[in-house]
Amino acid sequence: MMSNNKFKILIVEDEANILSFIKANLEISDYQVICAETCALGMMMYASYHPDIIVLDLGLPDRDGLSLIQDVREADTVPIIVLSARSGEMDKVEALDLGANDYITKPFSLSVLLLKLMARIRAVLRSHRYSEKNEGNHIGKFQFQDLMIDYDKRQVLVDGKEIDLTQTEYNILTFLSIHAGKVLTYAAIIQAVWGYSDYGSVKKLQVNMKNIRKKMGVTPGEKRYIVNELGVGYRMLAEDEE
Ligand code: CA
């Protein structure tokens, strides 16, 4: 095969029009695409092709897509992006907590879906590579637009000016930046920053986040640097969106 060094993407999706549109476009972008229309077939393809990334629809004919996340996570850490027609926050939180890396709520337009998916694929592949190389060892710098985090000096600069963060605020921001592009649930951030899992701490996290954004010069509601995924968690931007 010519395509040995291409990124392999497994798409598990039962809607033929979505599947063929995404497949054709990802192939143009030089990804190798493997398709499955059911969970059972998805697991088979996963086992035989070892994809670099899995794009998973939740509403599948044989089983709930959530069960595939569980089965795959028992074996390895391959990034999983959930594609869902459901817009319920509990589904997103459940998918993320089961080990999905990201999710996209299916929009009306196929081209919007494709654009979002390609951005998430790039972000997931980037952060997956980063965490494999640098887990627990945040040497270097994070840079996005005019935001710069220097992990060695524990310095945060916006537009060249240092901003003064508390220890907790710095820890939250660093955790988000290490996983830039990925939605982190409230529970995951609280666990990483305070060391315990307590849903009651969401308020505390939100207060800290509000202060961080204010210090960064972001006005309420503005999608800059960090996106609030309502009812789910936060995501640090890794590339320009919308
Ligand atoms: Ca479906």
Side-chain angles (χ1 to χ4, degrees):
M1 249 198 293
M2 292 284 291
S3 52
N4 275 345
N5 55 354
K6 288 186 181 179
F7 274 115
K8 271 180 282 183
I9 302 179
L10 169 61
I11 305 177
V12 189
E13 163 67 82
D14 61 325
E15 281 168 62
N17 63 326
I18 296 183
L19 194 61
S20 57
F21 183 80
I22 293 177
K23 182 181 191 309
N25 282 283
L26 288 179
E27 282 174 349
I28 291 169
S29 298
D30 230 19
Y31 293 107
Q32 184 188 342
V33 181
I34 305 142
C35 300
E37 293 84 17
T38 61
C39 270
L41 200 56
M43 276 312 284
M44 263 177 60
M45 294 299 187
Y46 159 72
S48 25
Y49 287 93
H50 306 289
D52 296 293
I53 197 162
I54 299 175
V55 177
L56 173 68
D57 178 33
L58 290 186
L60 292 162
D62 56 341
R63 286 192 294 150
D64 192 308
L66 289 172
S67 68
L68 192 137
I69 303 176
Q70 250 167 331
D71 291 348
V72 169
R73 277 294 167 266
E74 279 172 19
D76 77 14
T77 61
V78 57
I80 301 174
I81 299 175
V82 163
L83 217 56
S84 175
R86 309 167 185 175
S87 58
E89 279 139 18
M90 283 321 292
D91 279 323
K92 295 172 187 167
V93 172
E94 201 179 348
L96 292 169
D97 282 345
L98 279 173
N101 295 66
D102 212 334
Y103 66 83
I104 299 171
T105 303
K106 281 181 186 169
F108 230 52
S109 128
L110 273 181
S111 45
V112 171
L113 174 65
L114 180 71
L115 286 175
K116 287 191 170 187
L117 182 61
M118 304 253 302
R120 297 296 162 84
I121 287 172
R122 288 192 297 270
V124 163
L125 289 176
R126 188 170 44 226
S127 100
H128 193 65
R129 278 198 300 273
Y130 185 88
S131 60
E132 273 183 345
K133 268 190 269 164
N134 296 326
E135 197 66 83
N137 184 19
H138 319 139
I139 292 166
K141 294 183 173 81
F142 172 83
Q143 181 113 43
F144 174 68
Q145 292 173 348
D146 60 357
L147 168 67
M148 207 270 279
I149 304 172
D150 187 323
Y151 298 124
D152 298 322
K153 296 182 185 158
R154 297 178 70 84
Q155 255 183 353
V156 179
L157 290 105
V158 172
D159 196 17
K161 285 187 266 313
E162 185 171 359
I163 59 168
D164 188 21
L165 299 175
T166 66
Q167 196 69 25
T168 302
E169 290 163 1
Y170 176 81
N171 289 342
I172 294 170
L173 192 64
T174 304
F175 184 62
L176 288 172
S177 71
I178 289 163
H179 302 281
K182 178 178 181 339
V183 188
L184 299 169
T185 62
Y186 299 125
I189 302 169
I190 290 163
Q191 176 70 48
V193 173
W194 285 283
Y196 51 82
S197 211
D198 169 16
Y199 204 77
S201 304
V202 170
K203 192 82 209 155
K204 195 159 71 175
L205 173 61
Q206 287 169 334
V207 169
N208 273 281
M209 196 59 77
K210 201 176 151 196
N211 290 333
I212 293 171
R213 295 161 89 111
K214 201 171 157 190
K215 289 177 181 181
M216 292 170 98
V218 180
T219 50
E222 192 187 356
K223 272 193 180 181
R224 249 172 91 200
Y225 313 125
I226 298 163
V227 177
N228 185 4
E229 306 278 356
L230 277 180
V232 178
Y234 294 98
R235 178 165 57 89
M236 184 89 132
L237 297 177
E239 57 182 86
D240 294 316
E241 287 187 12
E242 266 120 274

